[in-house]
Amino acid sequence: MSAPNSVEEAEIQPCFVLIRPQLGENIGAAARAMANFGLSRMRLVAPRDVWPNQSAVAMASGAGRILDNTEIFGSTEDAVADRTTVYATTARHRDLANRILTPESAMCEAAGKLAAGERIAVLFGPERAGLENDDIARANAIVRVPTDPGFSSINLAQCVLLIAYEWRRQSEEIRPEGAEPLGTGLASGIEVEKLAEHYETRLEETGFFFPENKADRMKRVLRNLWSRMPLTHADVRLFHGILRQMVRGKTRG
């Protein structure tokens, strides 16, 4: 995997993460749409077809550099582990309590966050059914395009084009102003993931996830709760410490 072309490029733009894409042509068209609006950081999670993909190269039409630098991951969790804020694009209503933003407001917010030193990802689901709830549980907010309710499905590359266009509009005049002081910056995806695992493990030990047929949904809702909090590094350490102390106290008792 190749690194971004420059430090500046890595700092001032989000990465677009295509989750389980099915067609090389759509990956290539997405890369071309990103290049149209100055974006170059693409990640793929478990693409269906072999990678590198010649159909993607043919459809990229001049945006092959993006495909050359594309990073491949085995899971959504791994793909966003180094991100501090994650947006998930979906047209369907979900049973998770995420904020719902328009592409315009989401990319306006993202531009401000990147200027403050954060690391942003935008998730795009597979062509057939879109993102699954387990993917969205790792997002801080949902991006919903205001389409006709009777025909809301958008092609993967079209969705990438819409978000990339709004990114370009919102970010052209914004430049980084420096990150927050060490210790107060937002937690990365891997920090939040480890915190979620810590609480899930301890709660499972207490029999919290009951009845069994509702356990998976309860865990998903709990995981999404952590994603919706703008947790800092210090917050994560505090929550770990609270849980450890509670476990110690129970053991002493």
Side-chain angles (χ1 to χ4, degrees):
M1 289 181 275
S2 302
N5 286 338
S6 68
V7 173
E8 180 183 5
E9 181 178 86
E11 291 176 346
I12 65 171
Q13 65 171 255
C15 66
F16 279 20
V17 185
L18 277 53
I19 310 294
R20 297 179 295 278
Q22 297 168 322
L23 297 175
E25 290 86 348
N26 280 333
I27 298 172
R32 181 175 181 177
M34 290 172 63
N36 285 149
F37 297 102
L39 289 162
S40 62
R41 305 198 69 201
M42 176 185 281
R43 293 179 175 182
L44 303 181
V45 174
R48 186 189 66 181
D49 295 336
V50 64
W51 190 264
N53 186 286
Q54 289 306 309
S55 295
V57 173
M59 187 62 77
S61 186
R65 180 174 62 88
I66 295 176
L67 299 181
D68 291 340
N69 293 333
T70 293
E71 300 172 283
I72 310 297
F73 294 85
S75 69
T76 303
E77 174 187 338
D78 292 340
V80 301
D82 64 341
R83 303 292 94 183
T84 56
T85 299
V86 178
Y87 298 94
T89 61
T90 181
R92 290 188 290 157
H93 293 277
R94 309 288 181 152
D95 61 352
L96 299 172
N98 298 68
R99 292 182 301 138
I100 299 176
L101 306 174
T102 64
E104 180 180 12
S105 60
M107 291 302 97
C108 180
E109 180 180 281
K113 286 178 177 291
L114 277 158
E118 290 194 39
R119 300 180 300 280
I120 309 296
V122 184
L123 307 183
F124 300 85
E127 295 89 329
R128 181 170 297 177
L131 293 171
E132 296 179 358
N133 283 344
D134 284 343
D135 302 314
I136 294 174
R138 287 171 170 76
N140 303 99
I142 286 173
V143 182
R144 183 168 294 156
V145 178
T147 54
D148 187 324
F151 195 66
S152 60
S153 179
I154 302 177
N155 172 269
L156 171 59
Q158 291 174 330
C159 189
V160 169
L161 180 72
L162 282 168
I163 304 301
Y165 165 72
E166 288 297 346
W167 161 256
R168 183 75 173 187
R169 278 210 319 137
Q170 301 302 326
S171 66
E172 275 193 316
E173 301 304 319
I174 294 179
R175 291 295 180 268
E177 297 176 359
E180 298 175 53
L182 184 65
T184 62
L186 285 183
S188 67
I190 190 62
E191 290 177 281
V192 176
E193 194 69 37
K194 293 301 181 185
L195 179 64
E197 289 174 2
H198 190 186
Y199 271 78
E200 182 177 309
T201 298
R202 294 304 184 188
L203 288 171
E204 198 146 34
E205 290 170 357
T206 67
F208 176 79
F209 298 112
F210 181 84
E212 186 176 346
N213 65 328
K214 294 184 179 179
D216 286 345
R217 184 180 183 280
M218 292 171 71
K219 291 176 182 179
R220 186 183 302 120
V221 169
L222 179 63
R223 178 60 184 80
N224 183 237
L225 181 149
W226 297 116
S227 293
R228 287 187 281 115
M229 293 183 185
L231 294 168
T232 66
H233 304 302
D235 292 333
V236 169
R237 290 194 295 270
L238 176 64
F239 277 116
H240 278 299
I242 289 171
L243 188 55
R244 290 190 188 102
Q245 192 60 35
M246 291 173 67
V247 171
R248 290 192 192 105
K250 182 180 178 182
T251 302
R252 293 192 195 104

Short mmCIF file of all heavy atoms in Angstrom, two decimals, residues 151-211:
data_model
loop_
_atom_site.label_atom_id
_atom_site.label_comp_id
_atom_site.label_asym_id
_atom_site.label_seq_id
_atom_site.Cartn_x
_atom_site.Cartn_y
_atom_site.Cartn_z
N PHE A 151 -37.87 6.67 -4.60
CA PHE A 151 -36.75 6.12 -5.36
C PHE A 151 -35.47 6.69 -4.77
O PHE A 151 -34.83 7.57 -5.34
CB PHE A 151 -36.87 6.47 -6.85
CG PHE A 151 -35.98 5.65 -7.74
CD1 PHE A 151 -36.17 4.28 -7.90
CD2 PHE A 151 -34.94 6.25 -8.43
CE1 PHE A 151 -35.34 3.53 -8.71
CE2 PHE A 151 -34.11 5.51 -9.26
CZ PHE A 151 -34.31 4.14 -9.39
N SER A 152 -35.09 6.17 -3.61
CA SER A 152 -34.01 6.79 -2.84
C SER A 152 -32.63 6.17 -3.08
O SER A 152 -31.62 6.74 -2.66
CB SER A 152 -34.34 6.70 -1.34
OG SER A 152 -34.48 5.34 -0.95
N SER A 153 -32.59 5.02 -3.75
CA SER A 153 -31.32 4.34 -3.95
C SER A 153 -30.43 5.09 -4.94
O SER A 153 -30.87 5.45 -6.04
CB SER A 153 -31.56 2.91 -4.45
OG SER A 153 -30.33 2.26 -4.68
N ILE A 154 -29.18 5.35 -4.54
CA ILE A 154 -28.22 6.05 -5.40
C ILE A 154 -27.06 5.12 -5.70
O ILE A 154 -26.57 4.42 -4.82
CB ILE A 154 -27.69 7.32 -4.71
CG1 ILE A 154 -28.82 8.27 -4.34
CG2 ILE A 154 -26.70 8.06 -5.60
CD1 ILE A 154 -28.36 9.49 -3.58
N ASN A 155 -26.60 5.13 -6.94
CA ASN A 155 -25.43 4.36 -7.33
C ASN A 155 -24.23 4.77 -6.47
O ASN A 155 -24.09 5.93 -6.09
CB ASN A 155 -25.15 4.61 -8.82
CG ASN A 155 -23.84 3.99 -9.26
OD1 ASN A 155 -22.81 4.65 -9.20
ND2 ASN A 155 -23.88 2.75 -9.70
N LEU A 156 -23.38 3.81 -6.16
CA LEU A 156 -22.23 4.06 -5.29
C LEU A 156 -21.39 5.24 -5.78
O LEU A 156 -21.07 6.15 -5.01
CB LEU A 156 -21.37 2.79 -5.22
CG LEU A 156 -20.01 2.91 -4.54
CD1 LEU A 156 -20.15 3.38 -3.10
CD2 LEU A 156 -19.27 1.57 -4.60
N ALA A 157 -21.01 5.24 -7.04
CA ALA A 157 -20.17 6.31 -7.57
C ALA A 157 -20.90 7.65 -7.55
O ALA A 157 -20.29 8.70 -7.34
CB ALA A 157 -19.71 5.97 -8.98
N GLN A 158 -22.23 7.63 -7.77
CA GLN A 158 -23.00 8.87 -7.72
C GLN A 158 -22.99 9.46 -6.30
O GLN A 158 -22.88 10.68 -6.12
CB GLN A 158 -24.43 8.62 -8.17
CG GLN A 158 -24.57 8.31 -9.64
CD GLN A 158 -25.99 7.92 -10.02
OE1 GLN A 158 -26.73 7.37 -9.20
NE2 GLN A 158 -26.37 8.20 -11.26
N CYS A 159 -23.10 8.58 -5.32
CA CYS A 159 -23.08 9.03 -3.92
C CYS A 159 -21.71 9.63 -3.60
O CYS A 159 -21.62 10.69 -2.96
CB CYS A 159 -23.40 7.87 -3.00
SG CYS A 159 -23.65 8.37 -1.27
N VAL A 160 -20.65 8.97 -4.04
CA VAL A 160 -19.30 9.50 -3.83
C VAL A 160 -19.17 10.87 -4.48
O VAL A 160 -18.59 11.81 -3.90
CB VAL A 160 -18.25 8.52 -4.40
CG1 VAL A 160 -16.87 9.18 -4.45
CG2 VAL A 160 -18.19 7.25 -3.56
N LEU A 161 -19.71 11.02 -5.70
CA LEU A 161 -19.64 12.29 -6.41
C LEU A 161 -20.34 13.40 -5.62
O LEU A 161 -19.81 14.52 -5.49
CB LEU A 161 -20.29 12.14 -7.79
CG LEU A 161 -20.31 13.40 -8.67
CD1 LEU A 161 -18.91 13.69 -9.18
CD2 LEU A 161 -21.28 13.22 -9.83
N LEU A 162 -21.53 13.12 -5.08
CA LEU A 162 -22.28 14.12 -4.32
C LEU A 162 -21.51 14.58 -3.08
O LEU A 162 -21.41 15.78 -2.81
CB LEU A 162 -23.63 13.55 -3.90
CG LEU A 162 -24.72 13.49 -4.96
CD1 LEU A 162 -25.88 12.63 -4.47
CD2 LEU A 162 -25.22 14.89 -5.28
N ILE A 163 -20.97 13.63 -2.34
CA ILE A 163 -20.25 13.98 -1.12
C ILE A 163 -18.95 14.71 -1.46
O ILE A 163 -18.57 15.69 -0.80
CB ILE A 163 -19.95 12.73 -0.27
CG1 ILE A 163 -21.25 11.97 0.05
CG2 ILE A 163 -19.23 13.12 1.01
CD1 ILE A 163 -22.29 12.76 0.80
N ALA A 164 -18.25 14.25 -2.51
CA ALA A 164 -17.01 14.90 -2.92
C ALA A 164 -17.26 16.34 -3.37
O ALA A 164 -16.47 17.25 -3.07
CB ALA A 164 -16.35 14.10 -4.04
N TYR A 165 -18.36 16.55 -4.08
CA TYR A 165 -18.73 17.91 -4.52
C TYR A 165 -18.95 18.82 -3.31
O TYR A 165 -18.46 19.95 -3.26
CB TYR A 165 -19.99 17.85 -5.38
CG TYR A 165 -20.65 19.19 -5.59
CD1 TYR A 165 -20.08 20.15 -6.43
CD2 TYR A 165 -21.85 19.49 -4.95
CE1 TYR A 165 -20.69 21.39 -6.61
CE2 TYR A 165 -22.47 20.72 -5.12
CZ TYR A 165 -21.89 21.67 -5.95
OH TYR A 165 -22.49 22.89 -6.12
N GLU A 166 -19.71 18.33 -2.32
CA GLU A 166 -19.97 19.15 -1.14
C GLU A 166 -18.69 19.40 -0.35
O GLU A 166 -18.50 20.48 0.22
CB GLU A 166 -21.02 18.49 -0.25
CG GLU A 166 -22.43 18.53 -0.81
CD GLU A 166 -22.97 19.95 -0.97
OE1 GLU A 166 -22.37 20.90 -0.41
OE2 GLU A 166 -24.00 20.11 -1.65
N TRP A 167 -17.81 18.39 -0.31
CA TRP A 167 -16.52 18.59 0.35
C TRP A 167 -15.76 19.74 -0.30
O TRP A 167 -15.23 20.63 0.37
CB TRP A 167 -15.68 17.32 0.32
CG TRP A 167 -14.22 17.60 0.55
CD1 TRP A 167 -13.23 17.62 -0.36
CD2 TRP A 167 -13.64 17.98 1.80
NE1 TRP A 167 -12.05 17.97 0.23
CE2 TRP A 167 -12.27 18.21 1.56
CE3 TRP A 167 -14.14 18.14 3.09
CZ2 TRP A 167 -11.39 18.60 2.56
CZ3 TRP A 167 -13.26 18.53 4.10
CH2 TRP A 167 -11.90 18.75 3.82
N ARG A 168 -15.71 19.73 -1.62
CA ARG A 168 -14.99 20.78 -2.35
C ARG A 168 -15.58 22.15 -2.07
O ARG A 168 -14.87 23.13 -1.84
CB ARG A 168 -15.05 20.48 -3.85
CG ARG A 168 -14.26 21.44 -4.72
CD ARG A 168 -12.78 21.18 -4.63
NE ARG A 168 -12.02 21.99 -5.56
CZ ARG A 168 -10.73 21.85 -5.78
NH1 ARG A 168 -10.04 20.93 -5.13
NH2 ARG A 168 -10.09 22.62 -6.64
N ARG A 169 -16.90 22.23 -2.08
CA ARG A 169 -17.59 23.51 -1.83
C ARG A 169 -17.28 24.04 -0.43
O ARG A 169 -17.06 25.23 -0.24
CB ARG A 169 -19.09 23.33 -1.95
CG ARG A 169 -19.63 23.37 -3.35
CD ARG A 169 -21.05 23.90 -3.40
NE ARG A 169 -21.89 23.43 -2.32
CZ ARG A 169 -22.72 24.22 -1.64
NH1 ARG A 169 -22.79 25.50 -1.91
NH2 ARG A 169 -23.49 23.71 -0.70
N GLN A 170 -17.30 23.15 0.56
CA GLN A 170 -17.18 23.59 1.95
C GLN A 170 -15.74 23.82 2.40
O GLN A 170 -15.50 24.52 3.38
CB GLN A 170 -17.83 22.55 2.87
CG GLN A 170 -19.30 22.29 2.60
CD GLN A 170 -20.16 23.55 2.71
OE1 GLN A 170 -19.89 24.42 3.53
NE2 GLN A 170 -21.17 23.64 1.87
N SER A 171 -14.79 23.22 1.71
CA SER A 171 -13.43 23.20 2.22
C SER A 171 -12.45 24.11 1.49
O SER A 171 -11.33 24.29 1.95
CB SER A 171 -12.87 21.78 2.16
OG SER A 171 -12.75 21.36 0.80
N GLU A 172 -12.83 24.70 0.39
CA GLU A 172 -11.88 25.44 -0.43
C GLU A 172 -11.15 26.55 0.31
O GLU A 172 -9.98 26.78 0.10
CB GLU A 172 -12.58 26.03 -1.66
CG GLU A 172 -12.69 25.04 -2.81
CD GLU A 172 -13.08 25.71 -4.11
OE1 GLU A 172 -14.00 26.55 -4.09
OE2 GLU A 172 -12.47 25.41 -5.14
N GLU A 173 -11.86 27.22 1.22
CA GLU A 173 -11.24 28.35 1.91
C GLU A 173 -10.72 27.99 3.29
O GLU A 173 -10.25 28.86 4.03
CB GLU A 173 -12.26 29.49 2.04
CG GLU A 173 -12.81 29.99 0.71
CD GLU A 173 -11.68 30.45 -0.22
OE1 GLU A 173 -10.72 31.09 0.28
OE2 GLU A 173 -11.74 30.14 -1.42
N ILE A 174 -10.81 26.72 3.69
CA ILE A 174 -10.42 26.33 5.04
C ILE A 174 -9.05 25.67 5.01
O ILE A 174 -8.78 24.82 4.18
CB ILE A 174 -11.46 25.37 5.66
CG1 ILE A 174 -12.78 26.11 5.85
CG2 ILE A 174 -10.96 24.78 6.98
CD1 ILE A 174 -13.88 25.27 6.42
N ARG A 175 -8.17 26.10 5.91
CA ARG A 175 -6.84 25.51 6.03
C ARG A 175 -6.59 25.11 7.48
O ARG A 175 -7.13 25.72 8.39
CB ARG A 175 -5.77 26.54 5.58
CG ARG A 175 -5.82 26.82 4.07
CD ARG A 175 -5.46 25.57 3.28
NE ARG A 175 -5.50 25.82 1.86
CZ ARG A 175 -6.55 25.61 1.09
NH1 ARG A 175 -7.67 25.18 1.64
NH2 ARG A 175 -6.51 25.85 -0.20
N PRO A 176 -5.76 24.14 7.72
CA PRO A 176 -5.50 23.70 9.09
C PRO A 176 -4.98 24.82 9.97
O PRO A 176 -4.17 25.63 9.54
CB PRO A 176 -4.44 22.61 8.93
CG PRO A 176 -4.61 22.13 7.52
CD PRO A 176 -5.04 23.33 6.72
N GLU A 177 -5.45 24.86 11.21
CA GLU A 177 -5.02 25.88 12.16
C GLU A 177 -4.27 25.25 13.34
O GLU A 177 -3.96 25.93 14.31
CB GLU A 177 -6.25 26.64 12.68
CG GLU A 177 -6.98 27.40 11.58
CD GLU A 177 -8.25 28.05 12.09
OE1 GLU A 177 -8.56 27.89 13.29
OE2 GLU A 177 -8.91 28.72 11.29
N GLY A 178 -3.99 23.95 13.25
CA GLY A 178 -3.27 23.29 14.33
C GLY A 178 -4.17 22.39 15.14
O GLY A 178 -5.35 22.67 15.32
N ALA A 179 -3.61 21.29 15.61
CA ALA A 179 -4.38 20.33 16.38
C ALA A 179 -4.56 20.79 17.81
O ALA A 179 -3.91 21.72 18.28
CB ALA A 179 -3.66 18.97 16.36
N GLU A 180 -5.49 20.14 18.53
CA GLU A 180 -5.71 20.45 19.94
C GLU A 180 -4.52 19.98 20.77
O GLU A 180 -3.75 19.13 20.34
CB GLU A 180 -6.99 19.75 20.42
CG GLU A 180 -8.22 20.21 19.68
CD GLU A 180 -9.44 19.41 20.09
OE1 GLU A 180 -9.71 19.32 21.31
OE2 GLU A 180 -10.10 18.87 19.20
N PRO A 181 -4.35 20.53 21.97
CA PRO A 181 -3.23 20.13 22.81
C PRO A 181 -3.24 18.62 23.08
O PRO A 181 -4.30 18.01 23.14
CB PRO A 181 -3.48 20.92 24.12
CG PRO A 181 -4.32 22.08 23.70
CD PRO A 181 -5.16 21.59 22.57
N LEU A 182 -2.04 18.07 23.25
CA LEU A 182 -1.91 16.64 23.51
C LEU A 182 -2.74 16.25 24.73
O LEU A 182 -2.68 16.89 25.76
CB LEU A 182 -0.43 16.30 23.75
CG LEU A 182 -0.10 14.83 23.96
CD1 LEU A 182 -0.39 14.06 22.68
CD2 LEU A 182 1.36 14.68 24.36
N GLY A 183 -3.50 15.17 24.59
CA GLY A 183 -4.29 14.69 25.71
C GLY A 183 -5.73 15.13 25.66
O GLY A 183 -6.59 14.53 26.30
N THR A 184 -6.02 16.21 24.90
CA THR A 184 -7.40 16.68 24.83
C THR A 184 -8.01 16.44 23.46
O THR A 184 -9.19 16.71 23.26
CB THR A 184 -7.48 18.18 25.17
OG1 THR A 184 -6.72 18.92 24.20
CG2 THR A 184 -6.93 18.46 26.55
N GLY A 185 -7.22 15.99 22.49
CA GLY A 185 -7.75 15.74 21.15
C GLY A 185 -8.71 14.56 21.16
O GLY A 185 -8.75 13.76 22.09
N LEU A 186 -9.49 14.47 20.10
CA LEU A 186 -10.48 13.40 20.02
C LEU A 186 -9.81 12.02 19.91
O LEU A 186 -8.78 11.87 19.26
CB LEU A 186 -11.40 13.61 18.83
CG LEU A 186 -12.47 14.71 18.98
CD1 LEU A 186 -13.35 14.75 17.76
CD2 LEU A 186 -13.32 14.47 20.22
N ALA A 187 -10.45 11.05 20.53
CA ALA A 187 -9.95 9.68 20.51
C ALA A 187 -10.06 9.11 19.10
O ALA A 187 -10.99 9.43 18.35
CB ALA A 187 -10.74 8.82 21.49
N SER A 188 -9.13 8.23 18.75
CA SER A 188 -9.17 7.56 17.45
C SER A 188 -10.17 6.41 17.48
O SER A 188 -10.66 6.01 18.54
CB SER A 188 -7.78 7.01 17.11
OG SER A 188 -7.43 5.97 18.01
N GLY A 189 -10.45 5.87 16.28
CA GLY A 189 -11.39 4.76 16.19
C GLY A 189 -10.95 3.54 17.00
O GLY A 189 -11.76 2.88 17.63
N ILE A 190 -9.64 3.25 17.02
CA ILE A 190 -9.17 2.08 17.74
C ILE A 190 -9.31 2.27 19.25
O ILE A 190 -9.62 1.33 19.99
CB ILE A 190 -7.70 1.74 17.37
CG1 ILE A 190 -7.28 0.38 17.94
CG2 ILE A 190 -6.75 2.82 17.82
CD1 ILE A 190 -8.08 -0.79 17.41
N GLU A 191 -9.13 3.51 19.73
CA GLU A 191 -9.33 3.79 21.16
C GLU A 191 -10.78 3.56 21.56
O GLU A 191 -11.08 2.98 22.61
CB GLU A 191 -8.91 5.21 21.49
CG GLU A 191 -7.42 5.47 21.43
CD GLU A 191 -7.10 6.93 21.69
OE1 GLU A 191 -7.24 7.75 20.76
OE2 GLU A 191 -6.69 7.24 22.82
N VAL A 192 -11.70 4.05 20.72
CA VAL A 192 -13.12 3.87 21.01
C VAL A 192 -13.50 2.40 20.93
O VAL A 192 -14.29 1.89 21.74
CB VAL A 192 -13.98 4.71 20.04
CG1 VAL A 192 -15.46 4.46 20.27
CG2 VAL A 192 -13.66 6.19 20.20
N GLU A 193 -12.91 1.68 19.96
CA GLU A 193 -13.20 0.25 19.80
C GLU A 193 -12.76 -0.53 21.05
O GLU A 193 -13.50 -1.39 21.55
CB GLU A 193 -12.47 -0.29 18.57
CG GLU A 193 -12.95 -1.64 18.11
CD GLU A 193 -14.35 -1.61 17.54
OE1 GLU A 193 -14.70 -0.61 16.86
OE2 GLU A 193 -15.12 -2.56 17.80
N LYS A 194 -11.59 -0.23 21.56
CA LYS A 194 -11.09 -0.93 22.75
C LYS A 194 -11.94 -0.59 23.97
O LYS A 194 -12.20 -1.46 24.83
CB LYS A 194 -9.63 -0.56 23.01
CG LYS A 194 -8.66 -1.06 21.95
CD LYS A 194 -8.71 -2.58 21.81
CE LYS A 194 -7.72 -3.07 20.77
NZ LYS A 194 -7.84 -4.54 20.55
N LEU A 195 -12.41 0.65 24.07
CA LEU A 195 -13.28 1.03 25.17
C LEU A 195 -14.60 0.27 25.09
O LEU A 195 -15.09 -0.27 26.09
CB LEU A 195 -13.55 2.53 25.13
CG LEU A 195 -14.47 3.09 26.22
CD1 LEU A 195 -13.85 2.91 27.60
CD2 LEU A 195 -14.79 4.55 25.95
N ALA A 196 -15.16 0.19 23.88
CA ALA A 196 -16.42 -0.54 23.70
C ALA A 196 -16.25 -2.01 24.06
O ALA A 196 -17.12 -2.61 24.70
CB ALA A 196 -16.89 -0.39 22.25
N GLU A 197 -15.15 -2.61 23.65
CA GLU A 197 -14.89 -4.02 23.95
C GLU A 197 -14.76 -4.24 25.46
O GLU A 197 -15.24 -5.24 26.00
CB GLU A 197 -13.61 -4.48 23.25
CG GLU A 197 -13.75 -4.61 21.74
CD GLU A 197 -12.43 -4.92 21.07
OE1 GLU A 197 -11.41 -5.07 21.80
OE2 GLU A 197 -12.39 -5.02 19.83
N HIS A 198 -14.10 -3.30 26.14
CA HIS A 198 -13.92 -3.40 27.59
C HIS A 198 -15.27 -3.45 28.31
O HIS A 198 -15.53 -4.32 29.14
CB HIS A 198 -13.09 -2.20 28.07
CG HIS A 198 -12.63 -2.31 29.49
ND1 HIS A 198 -11.97 -1.29 30.14
CD2 HIS A 198 -12.74 -3.31 30.41
CE1 HIS A 198 -11.70 -1.66 31.38
NE2 HIS A 198 -12.15 -2.87 31.57
N TYR A 199 -16.16 -2.50 27.94
CA TYR A 199 -17.46 -2.45 28.59
C TYR A 199 -18.32 -3.65 28.21
O TYR A 199 -19.03 -4.22 29.06
CB TYR A 199 -18.17 -1.13 28.24
CG TYR A 199 -17.83 -0.04 29.22
CD1 TYR A 199 -16.62 0.62 29.15
CD2 TYR A 199 -18.70 0.31 30.25
CE1 TYR A 199 -16.27 1.60 30.07
CE2 TYR A 199 -18.37 1.29 31.17
CZ TYR A 199 -17.15 1.94 31.08
OH TYR A 199 -16.83 2.89 32.00
N GLU A 200 -18.27 -4.06 26.94
CA GLU A 200 -19.07 -5.21 26.52
C GLU A 200 -18.64 -6.47 27.27
O GLU A 200 -19.50 -7.25 27.72
CB GLU A 200 -18.94 -5.41 25.01
CG GLU A 200 -19.79 -6.56 24.48
CD GLU A 200 -19.71 -6.70 22.97
OE1 GLU A 200 -19.89 -5.68 22.27
OE2 GLU A 200 -19.45 -7.83 22.51
N THR A 201 -17.33 -6.66 27.42
CA THR A 201 -16.84 -7.84 28.13
C THR A 201 -17.30 -7.87 29.57
O THR A 201 -17.80 -8.88 30.07
CB THR A 201 -15.29 -7.88 28.08
OG1 THR A 201 -14.88 -7.98 26.71
CG2 THR A 201 -14.76 -9.06 28.86
N ARG A 202 -17.15 -6.74 30.26
CA ARG A 202 -17.53 -6.69 31.67
C ARG A 202 -19.04 -6.82 31.85
O ARG A 202 -19.52 -7.51 32.77
CB ARG A 202 -17.04 -5.38 32.29
CG ARG A 202 -15.53 -5.26 32.38
CD ARG A 202 -14.92 -6.42 33.12
NE ARG A 202 -13.48 -6.26 33.28
CZ ARG A 202 -12.66 -7.18 33.75
NH1 ARG A 202 -13.16 -8.37 34.08
NH2 ARG A 202 -11.37 -6.97 33.87
N LEU A 203 -19.81 -6.20 30.97
CA LEU A 203 -21.26 -6.31 31.07
C LEU A 203 -21.73 -7.73 30.78
O LEU A 203 -22.70 -8.22 31.37
CB LEU A 203 -21.93 -5.31 30.12
CG LEU A 203 -21.82 -3.84 30.53
CD1 LEU A 203 -22.31 -2.93 29.40
CD2 LEU A 203 -22.62 -3.56 31.80
N GLU A 204 -21.03 -8.38 29.84
CA GLU A 204 -21.39 -9.77 29.53
C GLU A 204 -21.15 -10.67 30.74
O GLU A 204 -21.94 -11.58 31.03
CB GLU A 204 -20.57 -10.26 28.33
CG GLU A 204 -21.12 -11.49 27.66
CD GLU A 204 -20.87 -11.49 26.16
OE1 GLU A 204 -19.83 -10.97 25.74
OE2 GLU A 204 -21.73 -12.00 25.42
N GLU A 205 -20.08 -10.40 31.47
CA GLU A 205 -19.77 -11.18 32.66
C GLU A 205 -20.85 -11.04 33.73
O GLU A 205 -21.07 -11.96 34.53
CB GLU A 205 -18.41 -10.75 33.23
CG GLU A 205 -17.23 -11.16 32.36
CD GLU A 205 -15.93 -10.51 32.82
OE1 GLU A 205 -15.98 -9.70 33.78
OE2 GLU A 205 -14.88 -10.81 32.22
N THR A 206 -21.52 -9.89 33.76
CA THR A 206 -22.56 -9.67 34.77
C THR A 206 -23.92 -10.18 34.33
O THR A 206 -24.89 -10.09 35.09
CB THR A 206 -22.67 -8.17 35.10
OG1 THR A 206 -23.18 -7.47 33.95
CG2 THR A 206 -21.33 -7.59 35.50
N GLY A 207 -24.04 -10.66 33.07
CA GLY A 207 -25.33 -11.12 32.57
C GLY A 207 -26.22 -9.99 32.10
O GLY A 207 -27.44 -10.16 31.98
N PHE A 208 -25.61 -8.85 31.79
CA PHE A 208 -26.39 -7.68 31.38
C PHE A 208 -27.16 -7.91 30.08
O PHE A 208 -28.28 -7.44 29.92
CB PHE A 208 -25.45 -6.48 31.23
CG PHE A 208 -26.14 -5.23 30.73
CD1 PHE A 208 -26.88 -4.43 31.58
CD2 PHE A 208 -26.03 -4.85 29.39
CE1 PHE A 208 -27.51 -3.28 31.12
CE2 PHE A 208 -26.66 -3.71 28.92
CZ PHE A 208 -27.40 -2.92 29.80
N PHE A 209 -26.55 -8.60 29.13
CA PHE A 209 -27.16 -8.78 27.80
C PHE A 209 -28.18 -9.92 27.85
O PHE A 209 -27.91 -11.05 27.46
CB PHE A 209 -26.08 -9.04 26.75
CG PHE A 209 -25.11 -7.90 26.61
CD1 PHE A 209 -23.78 -8.05 27.02
CD2 PHE A 209 -25.51 -6.68 26.11
CE1 PHE A 209 -22.88 -7.01 26.91
CE2 PHE A 209 -24.62 -5.63 25.98
CZ PHE A 209 -23.31 -5.79 26.39
N PHE A 210 -29.36 -9.59 28.34
CA PHE A 210 -30.44 -10.56 28.52
C PHE A 210 -31.75 -9.92 28.09
O PHE A 210 -31.96 -8.71 28.32
CB PHE A 210 -30.50 -10.98 30.00
CG PHE A 210 -31.56 -12.01 30.30
CD1 PHE A 210 -31.31 -13.36 30.10
CD2 PHE A 210 -32.81 -11.61 30.74
CE1 PHE A 210 -32.30 -14.30 30.35
CE2 PHE A 210 -33.80 -12.55 31.01
CZ PHE A 210 -33.55 -13.89 30.81
N PRO A 211 -32.64 -10.67 27.42
CA PRO A 211 -32.54 -12.09 27.05
C PRO A 211 -31.59 -12.30 25.87
O PRO A 211 -31.26 -11.36 25.16
CB PRO A 211 -33.97 -12.46 26.67
CG PRO A 211 -34.56 -11.17 26.20
CD PRO A 211 -33.95 -10.09 27.04
#
